[in-house]
Amino acid sequence: MTLIIKPDLEHDRPWRDVLQEMLPERTCRDWDAPGDLGEVEYAFVWNPPPGALRTFSNLKCIFSIGAGVDHLLKDPDLPEGVPIVRMVEPELTQGMTEYVTMHVLRFHREVPTLEAQQRDRVWNELIVPTAPSRRVGLLGFGVLAQDSARVLRALDFDLACWSRTPKQTDSVESFHGADGLDPFLTRTQILVCLLPLTEATKGILNRTLFAKLPRGASLINAGRGGHQVEPDILEALDTGQLAGAVLDVFRTEPLPADSPFWTHPKVTVTPHIASVTQQRSAAEQVAANIRRIEAGEAPHNTVDRALGY
Ligand code: GLV
């Protein structure tokens, strides 16, 4: 009867209170006070200790607090046969669209160069093209990237996407699979990574990939640190193959104080906040999915464990 909760970030209100309001018929408990383990039917978690979810013998569903589920799937003792639901909620999507659009526009309008000019008191009238002449590429084309595409399209960027499997899209030039990656990269001046982290995408942001972008391309990674070969990013920035990088995620988080990214003049560091799950809309999604399961239906947004997302 219980929903157990293990968040990572403090929000305005305790998650337990928000979820309890949405699920009055259920007992919502914090991870450290689980009560009878056999009564735990649902888990709402970010990064539970490996093996811990297996101790709930009657678990019906695991809800990820985040859109990504790599942190859950790396648990070798994850209970089998229990569906995992990734977080899809409108405000998380909206937040990512804001982040992506802000940084695409920033690179497009060459704000880093203008900021450097200002620091040096240089009045140099930089002429930049308008959005239809700027080629933006979305690496990964799931729920988040599709919404970013909607807004970037409205701004008239020359947009393409790449995904593992073909995606139906009218407004975005679409590439897929191993064969589609090179032509996608060749045409991409601003690369936005919104891939899930899987065995297939680990380390994808590496020297070989950067070399296929046009010289002076920019990188925005709001996926996972595991996508990055970080020395290769530094090298590409230093050779000018990449003009700039916005990194929200890192191999090690928090980013260690001695990381060169903190002070690199061509890098913007943000602390894994590109978008954050919002409490009310997330709790609504969880409650709706629990109602579906209790009615004998499959939950929405389940993860394919074999694919890793
Ligand atoms: C954040 O990284 C998420 O997966 O939602």
Side-chain angles (χ1 to χ4, degrees), residues 7-15 65 276-279:
D8 57 325
L9 294 176
E10 294 300 331
H11 282 250
D12 298 349
R13 300 182 59 203
W15 274 105
I65 299 182
V276 175
T277 299
Q278 300 293 320
Q279 289 190 305

Side-chain angles (χ1 to χ4, degrees), residues 6 25 55 97 141 166 178 181 216 224 236 255 261:
K6 187 169 188 335
E25 70 286 8
T55 58
T97 298
F141 203 58
L181 189 56
R224 283 285 183 265
L255 185 63
F261 287 127

Side-chain angles (χ1 to χ4, degrees), residues 208-221:
T208 312
L209 177 141
F210 300 142
K212 290 175 180 154
L213 295 168
R215 189 171 171 76
S218 307
L219 168 68
I220 299 167
N221 186 17

Side-chain angles (χ1 to χ4, degrees), residues 176-187:
H176 71 273
D179 292 347
L181 189 56
D182 285 9
F184 164 80
L185 294 169
T186 309
R187 51 83 58 209

Side-chain angles (χ1 to χ4, degrees), residues 46 65-68 71 92 223-224 272 275 277:
W46 174 247
I65 299 182
H71 53 290
L92 178 69
R224 283 285 183 265
H272 203 142
S275 190
T277 299

Side-chain angles (χ1 to χ4, degrees), residues 99 103 106-107 112 115 219 244-248 250 261-262 264-270:
Y99 185 91
H103 288 292
R106 187 166 170 274
F107 281 132
E115 285 173 349
L219 168 68
V246 170
L247 307 176
D248 185 55
F250 298 91
F261 287 127
W262 282 115
H264 198 293
K266 296 181 183 171
V267 175
T268 299
V269 168
T270 57

Side-chain angles (χ1 to χ4, degrees), residues 176-209:
H176 71 273
D179 292 347
L181 189 56
D182 285 9
F184 164 80
L185 294 169
T186 309
R187 51 83 58 209
T188 291
Q189 295 172 295
I190 302 176
L191 179 68
V192 181
C193 175
L194 287 170
L195 286 167
L197 182 63
T198 67
E199 278 308 313
T201 65
K202 206 189 284 177
I204 190 169
L205 299 176
N206 60 37
R207 177 188 297 155
T208 312
L209 177 141

